[in-house]
Amino acid sequence: MSHYTAPELSPAAIRQGFWRLLPISLFVAVFGAAFGLAAVQAGLPGHEIVLMSATVFAGTAQFAALELWGAEVPLLPLLATTFAINARMLLMGATLYPWMALLPAGRRYGSLVILSDANWAMNLNDLQNGRNNLGALVGGGLALWLTWLAGTILGMVFGSAITDPKALGVDMVMGCFMLSMVLAGRRTSRTVMAWVVGGAAAYAAWLWLPENSHVVVGALAGGLIGALWLEDKA
């Protein structure tokens, strides 16, 4: 019998998740501003820029789409590029499956609409440590989505003032946050091996494979360890 139980989703948990993720979301706003500026420079009209950020909500994929944008958009390369960049979502969803599968379909898929790296990492850590609710996933996702959208709009209007986001050090915030989630999570020989193999594979792909492929390669390598080294249910 499964030892998983259906996670709760209450208004109080959503509010708590929103405020927990809001500090990290400020970093997202800066890169949303960078995207807004880049989209304006690429010639996209304002309403299309806002619509893209509101519906796609995937920063790296949106930047990649701008690289291919023009008078005639190459649809198949655009689809392939965005799918490759966001393929990690398949594995992120798989890690949440044991809990999400116990929910009604509407609540399950509705909770995943605003899935991103930060709220996934925090909520998975919560679930693995006995905090059986989706507050960080939904509330934190709302915080990330709103600040990404607000940042996009600010970038469209004031983005020229941000000449180099890396000079402010904000490019390190998400990496440090994800590392803290890894270190705070449940540590076993299995998970440590997955981290090591996934990290080594991602680094090798970053050195020798096409741009952005390290995200997919690292995720697949770590996921392969998890698939071959099954967890002891006893």
Side-chain angles (χ1 to χ4, degrees), residues 38-58:
V40 168
Q41 294 175 340
L44 271 69
H47 68 280
E48 291 184 5
I49 299 172
V50 175
L51 183 63
M52 182 187 288
S53 281
T55 57
V56 178
F57 184 45

Side-chain angles (χ1 to χ4, degrees), residues 6 8 19 32 82 89 113 122 146 152 166 182 217:
E8 299 177 359
W19 293 111
T82 53
M89 297 287 182
V113 168
M122 180 170 283
L146 287 172
T152 298
K166 291 184 178 181
V182 168
V217 171

Side-chain angles (χ1 to χ4, degrees), residues 7-10 13 16 20 123 126-127 130-137:
E8 299 177 359
L9 183 60
S10 65
Q16 185 181 41
R20 286 174 70 195
N123 214 135
D126 285 349
L127 292 169
R131 182 178 290 181
N132 199 40
N133 67 71
L134 299 178
L137 184 67

Side-chain angles (χ1 to χ4, degrees), residues 134-192:
L134 299 178
L137 184 67
V138 178
L142 286 172
L144 293 163
W145 181 78
L146 287 172
T147 49
W148 171 255
L149 190 58
T152 298
I153 296 171
L154 290 173
M156 293 164 54
V157 181
F158 304 110
S160 58
I162 307 175
T163 57
D164 184 11
K166 291 184 178 181
L168 303 176
V170 294
D171 58 310
M172 293 296 296
V173 174
M174 183 61 75
C176 291
F177 169 78
M178 298 299 286
L179 179 60
S180 71
M181 289 294 99
V182 168
L183 296 177
R186 185 176 57 186
R187 290 185 291 277
T188 64
S189 299
R190 177 174 177 261
T191 56
V192 171

